[in-house]
Each structure stands twice: as C-alpha cells, then as structure tokens.
Amino acid sequence: MNSLLEVTDLQVSFYTYAGEVQAVRDVSFSLGKGETLAIVGESGSGKSVTSKSIMRLLAKSAKIKNGSIRFEGKELASLPEKQMQNIRGKDISMIFQDPMTSLNPTMTIGKQITEVLRKHQNMGRDAAAKRAVELLNQVGIPNPEKRLKQYPHQLSGGMRQRVVIAIALACNPKVIIADEPTTALDVTIQAQILELMNRLQDQMGTSIILITHDLGVVANMASRVAVMYAGKIVETGTVDEIFYESRHPYTWGLLASMPKLHEKSDELQAIPGTPPDLSDPPKGCPFAARCPYAMEICYEQMPSYTEHTGTHRAACWLQDSRAPKVERPLAAGGER
Amino acid sequence: MNTEKKPLVEVSHLKRYFDVGRGQILKAVDDVSFEIYPGETFGLVGESGCGKSTLGRTLIRLYDATSGTATFKGSPIHGSKSKSEMKQLRRDIQMIFQDPYASLNQRMTVTDIIAEGIDAHGLAKNRKERLEMVHALLDTVGLNRSHAERFPHEFSGGQRQRIGIARALAVNPSFIIADEPISALDVSIQAQVVNLMKKLQRERGLTYLFIAHDLSMVKHISDRIAVMYLGGMVELCESDELFDNPLHPYTKTLLSAIPLPDPKLERSRERMVLQGDLPSPINPPSGCRFRTRCPFAMEVCASETPKWQEASKGHYVACHLYNGEQAGTAAKPDSQGVDHHELV
Ligand SMILES: Nc1ncnc2c1ncn2[C@@H]1O[C@H](COP(=O)(O)OP(=O)(O)O)[C@@H](O)[C@H]1O
Ligand SMILES: Nc1ncnc2c1ncn2[C@@H]1O[C@H](COP(=O)(O)OP(=O)(O)O)[C@@H](O)[C@H]1O
Ligand code: SF4
Ligand code: SF4
Ligand SMILES: [Mg+2]
Ligand SMILES: [Mg+2]
C-alpha cells in the first residue's frame, strides 16, 4: 500500500508554568490510501495532540520538538502557515467530538458549507449552493434546502455531526481525521454515523485516521490500529492482529476491561492505577507501574519494537528472547 | 434477585411534567410503573432525553411528582413529611452523578466533601471521629488517606468518582441512584468503578438504580433492566433475558446498534439501524411513541397506546405486537439477541 501520510519520530511538548509536558514521544505511523487507521488509548495518551500536530492546530504553548509529518511527499511539520491553510480543510479535514467546536453558532449551515467551497474550490455562489444541497443529501440529512437556512442550534446532535461531516467532505479531502466523532452521541445515532462514514469511505476512497477509546467502534471501522499509551505507540497491527493476536500487556488490559455482551462474569478486569504524569515520564516502559508482568528491566529501559509480521509490532520486554514466556490472557480475546 | 421480598421502591403510574412556557408541557416521565427490590441493581437505559435523569431525580425528591406515586420502604417519597421523616429519607437515598467534577465543590477539601452528610446528620461525636469516618471511607473506595486534605482538581476522573461514591456512602444509605456514573470515564477506569460498586453492594447490601446509556456495562452490573423511550418505559426484564430475548422493537434496535469489540463479528453483522431522530417530548406521537421510527408499526399503533403487560414471567413490554389479538396478524419480529438478520 503506498502511503499518503507518513509520521516519523514525532515529539510534541507543551511548555507550561509547571514545566514541560511531553505529550507525544516518538510516534511513527503511516496511513495508506483508502485505509482507516484507528488510534486508541485512554484519555491523556496523546491521541488528540498527534492529530492536531498533523493539522498544525496545536496550542501556542505546544511545540513540535522533533520528527516529520510527510503528506504526499510534502513536509507539514515545518510548512508555513499560509501553505498549511491550503491543505487544511481541502486535502486533510478534521471532525471533532463536539460538532459545536467546528460549527459557527451565528452562521447558517448553508453559509458555513458554501464558504468552504468558495474558498477552496473557487466556486461561484450558485454552484456552491447547489453542491451544498448535494452534500447534505450525501450525509443523509432530509430536507436539505430547509436545513441550509437553519442555524446549528436548531439541529439535533446527530444532525450537527452530519453537517460537520458534510463540511469535512466538501472538498473531497484525501485524509479525514475524526477525533472521537461519535463519543458524544447516543448508540443509535452512533450506528447511523458509523454507517455513513463507512459508506462514504467506500464511495470516495478517503483515508481516515479515527481516534477513539471505544474498541467496538474500532472493530467496526478500522483496517489498522495503533495503541497509544503515555505519548507512545506501544503496539500497532491490522485490526485482526490487535483483536486476536495482541502482544502488549496494555492492549490486553484494554481488551479485557470491555464487558462481554455474551458472557457472564462477576468481575471486570480493570487495569489498576492511572497513567504516568507526562511532565515527568518514567525512563523505562511507561506501563510498568500498572503492568502485572513488569520485570526489573522494564523500569530501567524503554523496550524497543519487535516486529511480528510486516504489519504487527509491539514495544514490550516480554518480546525479548530472554524474557519468561507469557501467554496472552483469555480475556484479551483471540484463540490459542 | 429475590422477588419474594417486599420491594424497596414501588413506582406506580408516575409522571413528571415540565411547564416549558407558552402553554407547552414537556412530558419528561409519563406514566411509568415498576418495583426495585432490596439488594438488586436495577438498570435504566435509553437515548439521552428519554427521561432517565428526571425519573432518578424524582425518586430522590429533587422533583415533585406531577401525578402517580413512588414509595420507599412502604412510605410515600413525595407529599408532606415531618422533619425527621425528611431527614431519614435524605440519608436513605443517595445519588452519584455523571460528572464527578461538576458535582464536587471545587473549594472544599476531600475531607469536607465526604463529611458533608456526616455533619448534616450529626453522625460524628467530635472532629476525631469525623476524620476517622472519612479515613475509613477513603479506604473503602480505594483512595489514599493522604488524599484527604487535597482538592478535587488534583484528582483524575476515576478518582473523583470514588470521592463521589465515598460522599454518598458516608450517611449509610440503603438505596443509591447512580446517574451515568461511568459515562465520562475511560473503559479501563470504568471497570474499576463498576467493580468497586459491586463490591460495596455485596458488603453493604446496597440497592442501586443504575442509569446509563452504555448497554454492555449496564448488562454487566444489573439484575434487571428497564428500557425507556421518550418518557415511557417500553420493556423491563432480567438482564440476561433482555439480551437473549428482547421483545420491544426499540430494545432490538438499541442492542443492534452496539458495536462489539470483535472485528470478524462486526464485518458479518447486519445492523438494524434506527432511522431519524428522537421526536419532541412536547408533542410526542399519538398511540405508541416509537411508531414514527418503528419498522413494524401498524395502524393500531397510531390510535392506541400499547398497554404495559407481562409477556412472560417477569418480562414486561409495551407493544401492540404482543397483544393477544394483534400478535397473530402482524409479522412478529423473531426474538433473537443482537445478531438478528431480519432487518437492516
Ligand atoms: N494545552 C495543553 N497544555 C498542557 N498540556 C496539555 C495541553 N493539551 C494537552 N496536554 C497534555 O498532553 C497530553 C495528551 O493530551 P491529548 O492528546 O489531548 O490526549 P488524548 O486525546 O489521548 O486524550 C495529556 O497529558 C495532556 O495533559
Ligand atoms: N428542569 C427541566 N425543565 C424542563 N425540561 C426538562 C428539565 N429537565 C429535563 N427536561 C427535559 O426532559 C426530558 C428528559 O430529560 P432527562 O431526564 O434529562 O433525560 P435523560 O437523563 O434520559 O437524558 C428532556 O427533553 C429534557 O430536555
Ligand atoms: S515492557 Fe515490561 S512493564 Fe512494559 S508492558 Fe512489557 S512487561 Fe509490562
Ligand atoms: S406498538 Fe407498534 S409502533 Fe410501537 S413498538 Fe410495537 S409495533 Fe412498533
Ligand atoms: Mg482527545
Ligand atoms: Mg441524564
């Protein structure tokens, strides 16, 4: 698969009064054409900061310290803001958890869509208005002509997210970054939005980076998965490799803490403790304090990646040939 | 759950309406009846806006009932009460909220937050005993005693929810209404809080009303589950039964909508996707409120409100498909769990 977006050794820090917060620590991944890469991990693990770095939408207190973000061969990490504006919303667009962060409450839906079209596609007023109707149809909004005249607050949460998707699609972007796009929605509305995103991707061949903490959503949408913990990708693989053959104890913990609909168990397998403070990250494996398999070396030195297949790798000392053999717990899925 | 026991909470034709101005009435909870038994966890699910919080808040007397009754240990929750009766009720029923951040006073220390109820009810003889009680509660919910003098903002979401639980436990309640207590937490932390709530229930014989919109977690914690839609209850039964044999079309679409953490299953699964949005509770559809989105709607569904009836032992449903006469004439959806294929 030829890769469209290539992130290499990305490091991002925030500089606060309390010191440096190392939000993203050496993250590398690639995104191929037409694929959906899910980034999963608990809150604070650096998922949003990673995606905002790609869009170059980081807060002023943040800095890309190191690494490269190549999109179709162009280096985004150092691209001047002016050129970045031509990419943002046109080649790469973003969908946020709360649709109101992307919508302007004082502007009609129609105006917001046509503005994007006129700016990036150089469309005239009439052409843009026509395309706006098409877009709302495409995302399954009934009565588009009427909706275009309305303001965001006149729409339900699910409808607003459809509008945001319509705006994101307006310029046929090559990449869509969706940051928890369904987290604020009810499960029935979530099912509608996931179906919509899957259908649009089939039709348009868009690549998607899907950020979520819901493993059900990952199983439904993703082709590949990157598991993030404390600013690092600790495991990455195809969706089947992550769900059925995972290698990292943190991935095991995440999978095991999901309640299973078809099994009755008394106790859920929680991951004890909380993630480390990124203003003073541990020098060894960041998961060591919560890991039931932690060894001495884990506290001392960050494990490097072990490649299991061309697509599957994990950073864990258990993969070292000298480590004791540990089997994936049954609760973490897959077969023996 | 033991249905031989007398119910702890009995709700009968309870309604809670809001006057939203311009002569409009919003029927947030409209004629619900059910019982909660001692020691059970009663799950309450449904889309946001269907009336779950209003029902919970009415049961803890934050709201009056518009009509109908709710009793706790045999005596009415609403209506006039003596001072001592009110005090007892305020101890017996406690609430845990979704957003532990918003529900904790930011300027109070953890000790003062947890001890609020202890002080209000005069449960500690002196400062020393008060602190001992707070420390014991911190132990109970798995927080460190050294946290006692800190402020809420110094804690993670999961820790804050533990503070909220400790505060609720401080007055020794028998009934806890938990309104989406884990919705704002990470999955791995959700599991910690749910395990803690289960442990406390075993140790203290607590009864829970557990409100949530995440069905898989509700299934895990609940003995029985009630499904609400637009102010009304549409189905109620044991938790396993709801997943193995859902009857109401709305319950089926809810179950079908849950994405499962199993990619192979997700690839092969056919979903029953609910069309459209929730109608307004100010002007709900006539007859069955679900009819505007129900794939099985019949003529009678627009003209008659389906009765709340026991379809099989302990399994209640409000749907015309399960009415003796209509049942024969309508295409009855077959009653499989989440993997049904008859609809997309
Ligand atoms: N504006 C900010 N100032 C300081 N630290 C921040 C800021 N935004 C994010 N962070 C820190 O960066 C880390 C990663 O955050 P984020 O990418 O938002 O996590 P996620 O999206 O995975 O929940 C967190 O530890 C968070 O505290
Ligand atoms: N205090 C109130 N005044 C007016 N309407 C309210 C009030 N509280 C809730 N509602 C309305 O009642 C309905 C049910 O709300 P709620 O009980 O919060 O639902 P849920 O908890 O299931 O999301 C909603 O339409 C909501 O807007
Ligand atoms: S490196 Fe060590 S501490 Fe980290 S996940 Fe592997 S076994 Fe656990
Ligand atoms: S009563 Fe009619 S409309 Fe309502 S759920 Fe049953 S079949 Fe559907
Ligand atoms: Mg985020
Ligand atoms: Mg609510």
Side-chain angles (χ1 to χ4, degrees), chain B residues 274-296:
Chain B
L274 199 55
Q275 299 305 319
D277 280 322
L278 206 63
S280 155
I282 296 174
N283 247 324
S286 65
C288 172
R289 291 175 179 202
F290 186 55
R291 72 176 164 84
T292 52
R293 298 166 89 190
C294 177
F296 305 104

Side-chain angles (χ1 to χ4, degrees), chain A residues 178-319:
Chain A
D179 191 347
E180 309 266 3
T182 58
T183 303
L185 304 174
D186 274 303
V187 64
T188 54
I189 308 299
Q190 165 171 284
Q192 293 174 357
I193 299 288
L194 294 181
E195 191 190 58
L196 171 68
M197 288 177 53
N198 276 325
R199 176 168 60 78
L200 293 173
Q201 180 175 40
D202 281 349
Q203 287 168 1
M204 309 173 56
T206 321
S207 308
I208 298 179
I209 296 180
L210 172 73
I211 293 176
T212 176
H213 63 265
D214 185 333
L215 292 169
V217 172
V218 175
N220 178 279
M221 290 242 350
S223 29
R224 278 194 308 125
V225 184
V227 181
M228 267 191 98
Y229 188 77
K232 289 184 176 289
I233 292 178
V234 295
E235 181 165 12
T236 176
T238 63
V239 70
D240 286 9
E241 283 167 339
I242 296 297
F243 279 84
Y244 306 122
E245 289 162 54
S246 56
R247 303 283 182 134
H248 197 283
Y250 177 63
T251 313
W252 296 344
L254 273 186
L255 288 166
S257 60
M258 291 284 290
K260 313 281 181 295
L261 266 190
H262 299 290
E263 292 161 27
K264 195 84 191 169
S265 61
D266 261 355
E267 188 98 342
L268 288 173
Q269 313 231 352
I271 305 176
T274 45
D277 180 359
L278 293 179
S279 56
D280 183 23
K283 66 175 167 176
C285 168
F287 191 54
R290 303 171 78 187
C291 178
Y293 312 102
M295 302 164 280
E296 240 168 78
I297 179 81
C298 305
Y299 294 91
E300 292 304 319
Q301 214 179 318
M302 180 62 205
S304 52
Y305 288 107
T306 307
E307 308 259 348
H308 301 288
T309 68
T311 46
H312 188 189
R313 57 189 193 150
C316 169
W317 281 113
L318 290 178
Q319 308 303 325

Side-chain angles (χ1 to χ4, degrees), chain B residues 94 97 103-104 113-114 116 162-171:
Chain B
Q94 288 291 315
F97 298 91
S103 67
L104 302 177
I113 289 170
I114 294 176
E116 238 182 335
R162 288 173 192 266
I163 299 171
I165 294 173
R167 173 177 63 175
L169 290 177
V171 293

Side-chain angles (χ1 to χ4, degrees), chain A residues 26-44:
Chain A
D26 288 316
V27 159
S28 303
F29 62 84
S30 66
L31 179 70
K33 197 167 158 18
E35 77 169 345
T36 299
L37 171 72
I39 305 184
V40 297
E42 58 205 288
S43 37

Side-chain angles (χ1 to χ4, degrees), chain A residues 43-212:
Chain A
S43 37
S45 58
K47 307 183 296 294
S48 295
V49 172
T50 301
S51 59
K52 284 185 187 155
S53 308
I54 298 169
M55 291 296 275
R56 295 276 306 282
L57 288 173
L58 288 168
K60 284 217 169 61
S61 59
K63 195 177 151 219
I64 297 180
K65 276 172 72 180
N66 184 35
S68 97
I69 302 166
R70 292 190 87 78
F71 171 70
E72 293 191 310
K74 257 193 297 294
E75 177 57 57
L76 301 189
S78 55
L79 204 65
E81 173 59 24
K82 221 154 185 118
Q83 292 176 43
M84 199 59 218
Q85 279 175 10
N86 292 328
I87 291 182
R88 219 183 276 136
K90 181 164 176 282
D91 290 322
I92 311 178
S93 52
M94 192 146 179
I95 302 170
F96 294 95
Q97 169 173 342
D98 177 4
M100 287 314 277
T101 51
S102 352
L103 295 175
N104 182 337
T106 66
M107 230 194 246
T108 63
I109 304 295
K111 180 111 176 107
Q112 301 191 47
I113 301 179
T114 49
E115 214 162 65
V116 176
L117 291 167
R118 299 188 63 179
K119 176 175 164 212
H120 285 308
Q121 310 279 77
N122 281 325
M123 277 190 188
R125 198 179 299 268
D126 293 346
K130 206 166 141 238
R131 174 91 176 111
V133 172
E134 268 172 34
L135 281 165
L136 289 197
N137 263 326
Q138 211 174 356
V139 297
I141 294 185
N143 293 324
E145 285 89 356
K146 177 181 150 209
R147 292 298 188 189
L148 286 171
K149 297 197 190 87
Q150 294 186 319
Y151 291 89
H153 72 91
Q154 293 172 288
L155 273 58
S156 68
M159 283 295 160
R160 279 183 214 145
Q161 200 58 299
R162 285 176 193 261
V163 171
V164 172
I165 293 174
I167 293 174
L169 289 174
C171 305
N172 292 318
K174 298 185 174 110
V175 178
I176 291 181
I177 303 178
D179 191 347
E180 309 266 3
T182 58
T183 303
L185 304 174
D186 274 303
V187 64
T188 54
I189 308 299
Q190 165 171 284
Q192 293 174 357
I193 299 288
L194 294 181
E195 191 190 58
L196 171 68
M197 288 177 53
N198 276 325
R199 176 168 60 78
L200 293 173
Q201 180 175 40
D202 281 349
Q203 287 168 1
M204 309 173 56
T206 321
S207 308
I208 298 179
I209 296 180
L210 172 73
I211 293 176
T212 176

